[in-house]
Amino acid sequence: MIGIIDYGMGNLFSVSKALERLEAPYFISEDASELLQADSLILPGVGSFKDAMEKLNESGLTAMIKEYVKTGKPLLGICLGMQLLFEESEENGLTKGLALLPGNVIRFPGVTPEGEAYKVPHMGWNNIHFFRSSPILENIHEDFVYFVHSYYVNTPDHEVVIASCDYDVEVPAVVGRGNVFGMQFHPEKSSKLGMELLRNFTELTKERVAR
């Protein structure tokens, strides 16, 4: 059973509908003890990094997520939820994140090195490129996915980056280490490729249950 973390800032409806299409059993909860029992967790997110971390801290879900990861069960962060997996963000003032992966979250400069302005937020379809193999990419080919974000992850550890896209700068699009995964785009809004990625996450959940 997949647990979707409800902390007041997630795109719960679209994520849950995607899991229903995949016939993957799930539940939505804000209760830490209940979520700890899930076979895998999804941390969705829409909005400000600072506001999201305040809600997670106030509700006790920050400690729960860190405890959960230690069990070895899979965790997937989506969009803002992916950014929260990293150490800190400069959005609305420097804010500490969950620090499950190395790196920080910074704003797109909006200007190329040559001085040409480009649109921020990064919004719409963009092609992702795979860097390394991962169970989250099993039987998947490179294609376009749907992004909506003004900040992106900057990590010193390139082994964390599974796939990326180009938006003047290199943008980590899929990240992961061990049992922690993240997708900067919205897989539930990314047509066939997005659904295949979510299906692979549900397969990781099944493997965990089988073990």
Side-chain angles (χ1 to χ4, degrees):
M1 183 77 75
I2 298 172
I4 302 176
I5 303 171
D6 180 6
Y7 61 104
M9 293 188 66
N11 46 329
L12 303 178
F13 179 79
S14 59
V15 172
S16 62
K17 286 300 178 184
L19 293 178
E20 287 175 13
R21 291 198 296 274
L22 294 171
E23 299 182 345
Y26 73 91
F27 67 94
I28 299 171
S29 179
E30 59 186 13
D31 182 78
S33 59
E34 185 177 18
L35 290 164
L36 278 171
Q37 303 307 310
D39 299 308
S40 64
L41 285 182
I42 293 179
L43 176 64
V46 175
S48 161
F49 189 106
K50 184 180 181 69
D51 292 343
M53 282 307 305
E54 286 178 354
K55 288 183 179 292
L56 288 174
N57 290 333
E58 289 168 1
S59 62
L61 291 172
T62 295
M64 181 279 296
I65 293 169
K66 292 183 177 182
E67 182 180 351
Y68 187 89
V69 168
K70 291 178 182 178
T71 69
K73 294 188 285 187
L75 168 69
L76 172 65
I78 294 177
C79 196
L80 173 61
M82 180 191 114
Q83 295 181 1
L84 296 172
L85 303 177
F86 289 83
E87 294 170 291
E88 62 185 20
S89 171
E90 66 179 26
E91 184 178 5
N92 296 332
L94 200 61
T95 303
K96 296 295 183 183
L98 294 168
L100 299 173
L101 297 174
N104 60 329
V105 180
I106 59 177
R107 184 175 173 82
F108 285 106
V111 180
T112 69
E114 294 74 31
E116 297 180 10
Y118 62 89
K119 182 182 177 182
V120 178
H122 173 209
M123 182 166 61
W125 297 85
N126 204 338
N127 195 27
I128 60 173
H129 307 283
F130 301 164
F131 273 108
R132 60 181 178 86
S133 61
S134 168
I136 208 76
L137 299 182
E138 192 72 25
N139 298 317
I140 289 179
H141 301 287
E142 294 180 355
D143 205 342
F144 287 80
V145 291
Y146 190 77
F147 292 87
V148 183
H149 61 123
S150 298
Y151 292 78
Y152 70 100
V153 167
N154 177 41
T155 176
D157 186 354
H158 293 292
E159 290 298 313
V160 168
V161 181
I162 296 172
S164 72
C165 72
D166 179 67
Y167 195 65
D168 185 63
V169 296
E170 185 179 312
V171 179
V174 182
V175 298
R177 186 173 66 186
N179 57 319
V180 177
F181 300 93
M183 300 177 193
Q184 178 63 75
F185 50 91
H186 289 275
E188 76 283 6
K189 298 179 181 179
S190 295
S191 192
K192 182 181 178 181
L193 176 56
M195 292 303 292
E196 289 174 343
L197 287 162
L198 283 177
R199 187 185 302 279
N200 281 346
F201 183 73
T202 67
E203 290 301 317
L204 289 175
T205 304
K206 292 177 184 177
E207 290 173 11
R208 175 68 192 186
V209 172
R211 288 200 300 270

